[in-house]
Amino acid sequence: MDDAGDVDALPPVEGEFAPGEHDPVEPAHPDLQIPLPGSVLSAVSLRVGPDADFVELLVRLRNAGADVVSVNSFPATRGEAGVDRVLDVEFRDLDGEAAAASVRDAVGVASAEPRPTLGQIFGKRVIIIGGGAQVAQVSLGAVTESDRHNLRGERISVDTIALVGEHNIANAVRAVADLPRAHILVLAGSIMGGEITRAVLELKETGIPVISLNMIGSVVDVVDLVVSDPVQAGTMAVMAIADTARFTLDRQRGRRL
Amino acid sequence: MDDAGDVDALPPVEGEFAPGEHDPVEPAHPDLQIPLPGSVLSAVSLRVGPDADFVELLVRLRNAGADVVSVNSFPATRGEAGVDRVLDVEFRDLDGEAAAASVRDAVGVASAEPRPTLGQIFGKRVIIIGGGAQVAQVSLGAVTESDRHNLRGERISVDTIALVGEHNIANAVRAVADLPRAHILVLAGSIMGGEITRAVLELKETGIPVISLNMIGSVVDVVDLVVSDPVQAGTMAVMAIADTARFTLDRQRGRRL
């Protein structure tokens, strides 16, 4: 490890940007649901009844120019007549008002309103998986660090699940690839190997980096970075995905702290 | 408050269920993306190329019997020839293998595989919004409590965002209504009122309960429960949505602890 060349790890260069000051960096992890400078990302919320045709609505949005990147459906709970579901649709390349106008007169649509996308509000996600005590400590570090970046214009949220068992944890690690806006995973446990290690290798193929606490088992041999202190592990996970930090995980790959 | 009648708040009845032992309760918050006994919830992951027709794929799934409840699109990162996007589709009323078979031979589809749904892996979500120091403490309580329920067959994840400013927090509160599988919100700050209070009232219309720390501002007057200790606030949020706890927020509405 050439620390002299590894300026990202040396203060003050490692440091942080002032509020509003960003590097025009390429995003490390490609994500259709995160706002990018120069691209349009919007959402529309539709309150619809049983006559609404889900597919017709998507065709209309596409014909208006939308590249749909996500759809979520909820039961309507406000008790309006003729409304049983809410459809939230996120898309690129079309603004929210134009999208709403394109579907407002479709059969079964009671209302269509532009909305901020989940990526605009909740941003990139740090995912923490493992045992409760350690997940809570990693989360403490990650939340505290994300606060400092969110103050300067970032949007990073910290999402966790406490689980027990090799099979449960391996399945959750694999599913991180399917989680919208997940940009990094921290494994917070004491023993992880076997199927979990195979799941980590699969997840890394999708481009999502993995930090692990120092622990027993083979997981520590395949992750990008091993950090013994859980608060520091959470902090470094946030630094690794923040556009407002100069820390690059690539330069630290394989290190154990 | 009739504490004697409020058996949910008195130990040991308030307690918890043994592993595997559940009350056959109606879910408090209707959610199309959470598994329910007796209903089928499945997912399929499609790796597709530029020739794939998003709408045709959804029509095929619908014709096979699927009631699509969510779609998420990701850039493909594994570098397979002819694949540029991954489409994850979740649906009710059809099993994953039948769904995969219905789209496997469509134009532009390189592979179609059944997958667990995000609700099966990450379950119901506790959302914590506010200032970093307090979000971290509420998260500590919620993660630790969720661990105890997840051990007994629940799936509860704890998701947070640290934000500053009335407008930012109000927008995040409103957006909780659009977050898949969000079942309860905890507001973790020191001063919240004005636009945030209006956002809380809007959110409560969607059926999502709100717990708040004791704080300055009008938010404490409109939430379902005020809890002074952040660790307890996180703990009670998990108890309120866990099928493995007998705690019912309805009976505590308006209390301040």
Side-chain angles (χ1 to χ4, degrees):
Chain A
M1 196 86 222
D2 177 12
D3 267 357
D6 181 20
V7 290
D8 276 5
L10 298 175
V13 183
E14 170 259 350
E16 296 163 350
F17 296 94
E21 181 206 356
H22 287 232
D23 248 0
V25 282
E26 267 303 286
H29 182 64
D31 193 328
L32 299 170
Q33 298 181 28
I34 287 292
L36 279 179
S39 81
V40 176
L41 178 65
S42 322
V44 66
S45 182
L46 312 177
R47 304 186 72 83
V48 304
D51 295 344
D53 181 342
F54 177 70
V55 168
E56 188 211 338
L57 297 172
L58 296 178
V59 169
R60 279 175 175 240
L61 288 167
R62 185 172 63 177
N63 291 347
D67 176 16
V68 171
V69 296
S70 92
V71 182
N72 276 292
S73 167
F74 303 86
T77 51
R78 289 189 204 153
E80 309 119 288
V83 173
D84 65 350
R85 279 208 189 174
V86 180
L87 284 181
D88 287 347
V89 186
E90 300 195 356
F91 40 85
R92 306 194 76 88
D93 307 337
L94 181 67
D95 80 72
E97 190 40 63
S102 75
V103 290
R104 210 166 261 147
D105 62 345
V107 173
V109 174
S111 74
E113 297 304 329
R115 279 285 250 278
T117 70
L118 294 176
Q120 285 160 346
I121 301 285
F122 298 103
K124 295 175 267 192
R125 300 166 72 183
V126 175
I127 311 294
I128 307 167
I129 297 175
Q134 287 158 298
V135 168
Q137 292 307 309
V138 175
S139 176
L140 174 70
V143 166
T144 307
E145 180 70 11
S146 70
D147 201 28
R148 305 170 71 226
H149 293 278
N150 292 349
L151 278 165
R152 284 169 293 158
E154 257 291 2
R155 283 290 168 119
I156 293 176
S157 52
V158 178
D159 297 351
T160 71
I161 187 160
L163 287 172
V164 72
E166 179 178 348
H167 184 66
N168 284 337
I169 293 174
N171 279 347
V173 168
R174 287 195 183 95
V176 170
D178 306 336
L179 270 182
R181 301 176 282 106
H183 281 229
I184 192 165
L185 169 65
V186 185
L187 291 171
S190 299
I191 313 179
M192 293 191 192
E195 195 188 340
I196 303 171
T197 301
R198 289 189 290 278
V200 167
L201 290 170
E202 289 172 36
L203 180 66
K204 285 175 68 183
E205 272 187 45
T206 68
I208 297 179
V210 183
I211 291 177
S212 160
L213 299 187
N214 203 358
M215 64 172 93
I216 293 167
S218 56
V219 141
V220 293
D221 299 327
V222 300
V223 298
D224 295 288
L225 183 66
V226 177
V227 182
S228 298
D229 170 50
V231 175
Q232 189 178 63
T235 304
M236 294 183 85
V238 170
M239 288 166 62
I241 66 168
D243 291 339
T244 40
R246 283 199 180 89
F247 176 71
T248 309
L249 203 56
D250 280 339
R251 301 202 185 184
Q252 311 302 335
R253 193 147 282 142
R255 283 188 78 165
R256 299 194 182 198
L257 303 183
Chain B
M1 198 82 220
D2 175 13
D3 266 0
D6 184 20
V7 290
D8 276 6
L10 297 174
V13 184
E14 171 259 350
E16 295 163 349
F17 295 93
E21 180 206 356
H22 287 232
D23 247 0
V25 282
E26 267 303 286
H29 182 64
D31 193 328
L32 299 169
Q33 299 182 26
I34 288 291
L36 279 179
S39 80
V40 175
L41 179 65
S42 321
V44 66
S45 181
L46 311 177
R47 303 186 72 82
V48 304
D51 294 346
D53 180 342
F54 177 69
V55 168
E56 187 211 340
L57 297 172
L58 295 178
V59 169
R60 279 175 175 242
L61 288 167
R62 186 172 61 176
N63 291 347
D67 175 16
V68 172
V69 296
S70 92
V71 182
N72 275 293
S73 168
F74 303 86
T77 51
R78 290 190 203 151
E80 311 120 286
V83 173
D84 65 350
R85 278 206 190 176
V86 180
L87 285 181
D88 287 348
V89 186
E90 301 194 358
F91 40 86
R92 306 193 77 87
D93 307 337
L94 182 67
D95 79 72
E97 190 39 66
S102 75
V103 290
R104 211 166 260 147
D105 62 346
V107 173
V109 174
S111 75
E113 296 305 328
R115 279 285 249 279
T117 70
L118 294 177
Q120 284 160 346
I121 301 286
F122 298 103
K124 296 173 267 191
R125 300 166 72 183
V126 175
I127 311 295
I128 307 168
I129 297 175
Q134 287 159 298
V135 168
Q137 292 307 308
V138 174
S139 177
L140 174 70
V143 167
T144 306
E145 180 69 11
S146 70
D147 202 27
R148 305 171 72 226
H149 294 278
N150 291 349
L151 277 166
R152 285 170 291 158
E154 257 291 3
R155 283 290 167 117
I156 293 176
S157 52
V158 178
D159 298 351
T160 71
I161 187 160
L163 287 172
V164 71
E166 180 178 348
H167 184 67
N168 284 338
I169 293 174
N171 279 347
V173 168
R174 287 195 183 94
V176 170
D178 306 337
L179 270 183
R181 300 175 284 105
H183 280 229
I184 192 166
L185 168 65
V186 185
L187 291 171
S190 300
I191 314 179
M192 293 191 191
E195 194 188 340
I196 302 172
T197 301
R198 289 188 291 278
V200 167
L201 290 169
E202 288 173 35
L203 180 66
K204 284 176 68 183
E205 273 187 44
T206 69
I208 298 179
V210 183
I211 291 177
S212 160
L213 299 187
N214 203 357
M215 63 173 90
I216 293 168
S218 56
V219 140
V220 292
D221 299 327
V222 300
V223 298
D224 295 289
L225 182 66
V226 177
V227 182
S228 298
D229 171 48
V231 175
Q232 189 179 62
T235 304
M236 294 184 85
V238 170
M239 289 166 62
I241 66 168
D243 291 338
T244 40
R246 283 199 181 89
F247 175 71
T248 310
L249 203 55
D250 280 339
R251 302 200 185 184
Q252 310 304 334
R253 193 146 283 142
R255 283 188 78 165
R256 300 195 181 196
L257 303 182

